[in-house]
Amino acid sequence: MFCASAAIRRKYHCMLIYPMSIYILRRIILMVPLLFGITLISFGVIHLAPGDAAQVQTEMSLKASAESVENLRRLYGLDRPVHEQYVSWLGRFVRFDFGTSFVDERKVTDKILERIPITLGINILSIIVIFSIAIPIGVLSAVRQYSWFDKISTVVVFIGFSTPGFWLALLLMILFGVYLGVLPISGIQSVDTSGMNAFEKILDIAKHLILPVGVSAFGGVAGMSRYSRSSMLEVIRQDYIRTARAKGLTEAQVIIRHAFKNALMPIVTIIGLMVPALIGGSVIFETIFAIPGMGKLFIDSVWARDYPTIMGILVIGSTLTLLGNLLADISYAFADPRIRVKGAD
Amino acid sequence: MHASITLRRFARNKLAMAGAATVMVLAFVAVFAPLLAPFEPTAIDVDNILSPPGGTHLLGTDDLGRDVLSRMIYGSRVSLSVGFVAVGISVFIGIIIGSLAGFFGGKVDAVLMRLVDVMLTFPSFFLILAVIAIVGPSIFIIMVIIGFTSWMDVSRLVRAEFLSLKERDFVLAARASGASNGRIIFRHILPNALSPVFVAATFGVAGAILLESGLSFLGLGVQPPASSWGNILTTGRNYIEIAWWLSLYPGLSILITVLSYNLVGEGLRDALDPRIWDVEN
C-alpha cells in the first residue's frame, strides 16, 4: 500500500521502509547538525581563555615562540569578529588543518594521526573483550533470572560500576607488576626488542597490553552485561518465544536461535554510545600505563597548554564518536529492517 | 506516589538502606573532619616518611610524612562538595532545558534536543580537560565543568515527564483558570516531574565523585597541598613499588562512597517505580 502521508500511514497501519542507501544517507545528513554543534562548542572552549588566546599562550608557556603565537592568531583570526573567526576556523577544520603544535612546531594533524592507531587498537581490543565477557553473563543472568548466578552477577556489576578504573589499574600493577613480577606495567613494548624474533615481539606487546586492555574493558563489562541482561529479558517475554516453546523446541533452541539473535541487535548498537567513554577513558589509562596514544598526547598537551593540539584532539575525538554512532546505526538497520521504517527516527 | 509509601518501600530494601547509612556516615565524617582526623592533613612528620600502616599512623604516611588517614578524612570534604555542587548545577540546567523542551515542544524541543545530542556525542572527559587546560585547575572549575557536562540525562527525564503531564486535566484546569506558562511549568507540572530527577541526581553524585577523583589523579583537579582521594592516589602511582597503602585506601574509600550512592539511587528508583507492585502497600 502506498503511504504518502503520515495521516494515511497512521490510518492504515502501513509502513514505508527506506532502502538501505537512503537510510544511510539520512543518517549522514542528520549528523551534520551534530557536527556543527560539536565545532561550535569546541570553538567556544578556546574563547573561554580570558582576553586574547594567543596572548595568554605567550604568558603561560615559555615554549611558545613569537612565530607560533602569530600562527595561532592567524589560525583563529583573533583580530576579526567572532563569527568570521568561526567560519574561517571551520574552513580549516573541514580540511583537518589544526595548525602547528606549540610544543614542537609539528603539524597537529600529523601528531594526532600517528597516535590514533594505538588508541583505536586498544579500544577495539577492549570492545572485543567487553562483548565476549559481558554478553554471556548478561544472557545467562536473564535466562536464569533471580538465580544465584543472577544475584551474584548483579552485585559484582554494581561494584564494577562503582570502581574507579585507575584505582583498579594501580592495584593490578602492584599485584602483577610489583609483587608477582609477571606483567610489565608501562609502555606497549619492551625497551630492547632487538634480540626478539617476530613471535616474541608479538608476545611482548601482548603482555604489555593485558593490563591496559583489561582495565579499560572492566567498566564496560559491568554496563554491557546489565544492558544485555535487560535486552534479553525483554525478548524472553515476547509472544514468539512462547510460540517457540509451545511448538516443542528445546530450551537451548529457544534461547539461542529465537531469543539471543533478537536480543543481540540492541546490544550491538550500544557500541556507539560506549565510544565517548572509551575514548575519554584512554586519557587515564594511557597516562597510568605510559602508552603513547592519543589520550597521552592529550594530557601532555593540556599540561603544555598546547591549544592547537587540544582543539585538534577535541574535534577528532568527537568526530570518531559520531562515526561510531553512525556505524552502530547502520549495522542495526542491516540487521533489523524495522529501524528503517519511515518516522521511526 | 505518596512520600511515606516511597519511604516504606525504600526502607525494605536492605542494600539501599546500607547505602543510605554509609552515605550518612560519610557526610558526618566530612562535616566533622577537624574533630575526627588524628593529625593535621598537611602536618609533616619527618621521622615517618612513607611508613606503612599501623602504629601512630593508622593508614601509613605519604612521601612527605603526612598522615594518610587524616588526608583521606579531609579528602571526603572535597569529594562530597564536588559531588553535590556539580549535581546541583547539572540538575538546575537539566530541569530548565527539559521543561522548556517538553512544555513548548515543536521547534524549541527540536533545537534543545539537538543540543542534548551534541553534548552526548562529545567525549565529555576531553571537553572537561580542554576547559581545565585553558582556565586552569581548581575545585571550583571542576564543580562547574562537571555540572555543565552532565545535565543531559536530567533534561531528557524532565522532558519525558512534561510531555505526558502537560496533557493532563490538572494542567488544562490551570490553563483554563488563566495561569501563565511560567506558573504552569513551575507550580503545576514541575513538582510532579521531580521523582526521576531525584534518582538521576543520586547517580549523578556518584558519577561526579568518580570524575573528580580521576581529574585529581591526573593532577588536574584539587591541587596539593589540599588533599583529595584522587591526588593521594597520584602519590600512590609515584611510589607504586614501595608504598601500596597509598594506592589501596583512598581508592577503597572512593569505591565505597560511589557504591553507596549508586545503591541509594537504585533503591530510590525501585521505590518510586509504580510498576513494581507489592501487596503490602
Side-chain angles (χ1 to χ4, degrees):
Chain A
M1 189 184 294
F2 179 63
C3 318
S5 74
I8 297 177
R9 271 199 305 281
R10 218 171 296 127
K11 187 168 177 194
Y12 297 105
H13 297 287
C14 68
M15 299 189 299
L16 186 67
I17 297 185
Y18 289 115
M20 197 45 125
S21 54
I22 304 282
Y23 176 79
I24 293 177
L25 198 68
R26 273 178 60 91
R27 282 282 129 190
I28 292 177
I29 292 172
L30 281 175
M31 271 174 61
V32 172
L34 289 186
L35 208 54
F36 177 71
I38 285 172
T39 57
L40 208 58
I41 292 178
S42 305
F43 181 76
V45 165
I46 193 93
H47 281 266
L48 283 176
D52 180 329
Q55 209 175 343
V56 173
Q57 181 62 31
T58 29
E59 286 161 13
M60 293 298 184
S61 168
L62 297 171
K63 284 175 184 160
S65 67
E67 191 193 345
S68 57
V69 170
E70 213 36 62
N71 279 341
L72 189 75
R73 279 231 171 80
R74 183 182 53 78
L75 187 61
Y76 293 102
L78 291 167
D79 43 352
R80 284 177 287 149
V82 173
H83 61 276
E84 274 181 39
Q85 293 177 30
Y86 173 67
V87 170
S88 81
W89 180 78
L90 200 61
R92 290 198 161 76
F93 157 74
V94 173
R95 283 171 278 140
F96 280 95
D97 172 11
F98 299 109
T100 55
S101 161
F102 287 148
V103 177
D104 52 12
E105 313 277 320
R106 289 183 55 210
K107 282 184 72 177
V108 168
T109 319
D110 294 345
K111 286 183 78 164
I112 298 174
L113 282 181
E114 67 188 28
R115 301 290 191 108
I116 284 185
I118 295 178
T119 303
L120 219 52
I122 291 182
N123 279 332
I124 290 172
L125 281 176
S126 354
I127 290 180
I128 294 173
V129 171
I130 290 172
F131 273 61
S132 44
I133 296 177
I135 293 180
I137 294 180
V139 169
L140 208 59
S141 302
V143 173
R144 308 233 181 287
Q145 198 186 4
Y146 304 126
S147 69
W148 276 107
F149 179 81
D150 185 30
K151 280 178 186 154
I152 292 174
S153 74
T154 302
V155 173
V156 172
V157 160
F158 238 96
I159 295 175
F161 263 137
S162 314
T163 307
F166 59 95
W167 177 60
L168 186 70
L170 289 180
L171 293 187
L172 293 177
M173 284 162 89
I174 291 176
L175 179 64
F176 291 106
V178 179
Y179 283 90
L180 299 177
V182 288
L183 289 175
I185 58 173
S186 79
I188 52 165
Q189 54 182 26
S190 301
V191 181
D192 181 22
T193 54
S194 53
M196 297 180 181
N197 60 33
F199 176 72
E200 284 170 332
K201 272 184 192 160
I202 292 175
L203 198 70
D204 181 56
I205 293 178
K207 272 175 95 172
H208 279 83
L209 286 182
I210 290 178
L211 286 183
V213 170
V215 171
S216 76
F218 184 77
V221 169
M224 183 57 80
S225 64
R226 236 13 13 201
Y227 191 77
S228 39
R229 177 179 181 271
S230 55
S231 170
M232 192 70 182
L233 280 176
E234 192 107 327
V235 170
I236 286 177
R237 293 195 194 110
Q238 300 290 321
D239 288 342
Y240 58 81
I241 296 299
R242 191 178 306 140
T243 311
R245 287 210 175 99
K247 73 177 185 186
L249 293 183
T250 64
E251 190 61 20
Q253 276 175 316
V254 173
I255 295 302
I256 295 168
R257 297 248 316 265
H258 293 251
F260 181 61
K261 260 170 72 180
N262 284 297
L264 197 58
M265 285 311 122
I267 300 177
V268 170
T269 51
I270 204 87
I271 296 185
L273 299 178
M274 278 164 49
V275 174
L278 281 171
I279 290 186
S282 52
V283 174
I284 287 190
F285 301 124
E286 289 176 7
T287 306
I288 297 179
F289 292 106
I291 293 168
M294 204 167 79
K296 185 80 170 66
L297 176 66
F298 191 65
I299 197 79
D300 292 343
S301 312
V302 166
W303 282 113
R305 289 177 174 256
D306 185 356
Y307 292 160
T309 313
I310 292 173
M311 286 300 109
I313 297 180
L314 198 56
V315 172
I316 287 182
S318 24
T319 312
L320 282 179
T321 313
L322 264 185
L323 288 179
N325 281 328
L326 181 68
L327 222 60
D329 278 348
I330 292 174
S331 56
Y332 200 174
F334 262 113
D336 186 349
R338 282 174 299 177
I339 292 303
R340 283 181 276 146
V341 171
K342 188 161 196 212
D345 48 17
Chain B
M1 191 177 301
H2 202 269
S4 70
I5 298 180
T6 306
L7 258 176
R8 223 178 320 136
R9 291 174 59 147
F10 185 85
R12 268 207 307 276
N13 183 337
K14 289 197 193 80
L15 279 176
M17 284 306 278
T22 318
V23 162
M24 277 177 217
V25 171
L26 284 163
F28 179 83
V29 169
V31 171
F32 295 103
L35 301 176
L36 294 168
F39 295 89
E40 282 292 308
T42 49
I44 293 168
D45 182 352
V46 281
D47 298 327
N48 282 306
I49 280 174
L50 288 175
S51 66
T56 37
H57 298 285
L58 211 56
L59 299 183
T61 59
D62 67 4
D63 54 330
L64 298 174
R66 296 174 298 193
D67 185 57
V68 172
L69 177 61
S70 308
R71 287 185 73 71
M72 277 170 53
I73 289 175
Y74 273 87
S76 70
R77 294 184 146 188
V78 170
S79 294
L80 293 196
S81 49
V82 169
F84 278 92
V85 176
V87 166
I89 295 172
S90 80
V91 164
F92 181 76
I93 301 175
I95 284 182
I96 300 286
I97 302 234
S99 9
L100 290 179
F103 186 79
F104 291 108
K107 287 213 172 65
V108 179
D109 184 36
V111 170
L112 291 177
M113 286 302 112
R114 282 298 84 72
L115 179 65
V116 169
D117 287 346
V118 169
M119 291 301 291
L120 285 174
T121 333
F122 253 108
S124 58
F125 202 65
F126 276 19
L127 192 59
I128 292 172
L129 291 178
V131 172
I132 293 173
I134 289 164
V135 188
S138 78
I139 186 168
F140 172 70
I141 290 298
I142 303 281
M143 291 168 172
V144 172
I145 185 71
I146 292 179
F148 269 84
T149 49
S150 59
W151 50 269
M152 292 81 78
D153 281 344
V154 174
S155 72
R156 284 182 153 186
L157 292 168
V158 172
R159 171 181 177 268
E161 291 288 318
F162 264 72
L163 285 179
S164 78
L165 289 172
K166 73 174 176 186
E167 309 291 345
R168 298 277 186 84
D169 288 344
F170 71 90
V171 177
L172 293 181
R175 205 188 295 277
S177 64
S180 66
N181 279 341
R183 192 177 165 84
I184 295 177
I185 292 178
F186 291 108
R187 289 294 296 277
H188 295 277
I189 305 186
L190 194 57
N192 291 299
L194 282 182
S195 40
V197 175
F198 283 122
V199 177
T202 316
F203 287 126
V205 173
I209 290 175
L210 265 183
L211 208 49
E212 181 276 322
S213 67
L215 290 170
S216 293
F217 175 73
L218 287 172
L220 294 166
V222 176
Q223 297 299 301
S227 66
S228 94
W229 295 338
N231 72 24
I232 305 174
L233 285 169
T234 315
T235 326
R237 168 75 179 96
N238 295 337
Y239 295 94
I240 192 162
E241 316 233 324
I242 46 175
W244 54 267
W245 56 93
L246 288 176
S247 295
L248 181 64
Y249 299 121
L252 204 57
S253 47
I254 301 172
L255 169 61
I256 291 171
T257 311
V258 173
L259 185 62
S260 310
Y261 278 97
N262 279 337
L263 287 174
V264 172
E266 191 83 356
L268 266 182
R269 175 156 66 196
D270 291 346
L272 288 166
D273 189 350
R275 283 171 306 174
I276 298 180
W277 178 258
D278 38 344
V279 210
E280 291 156 73
N281 289 330

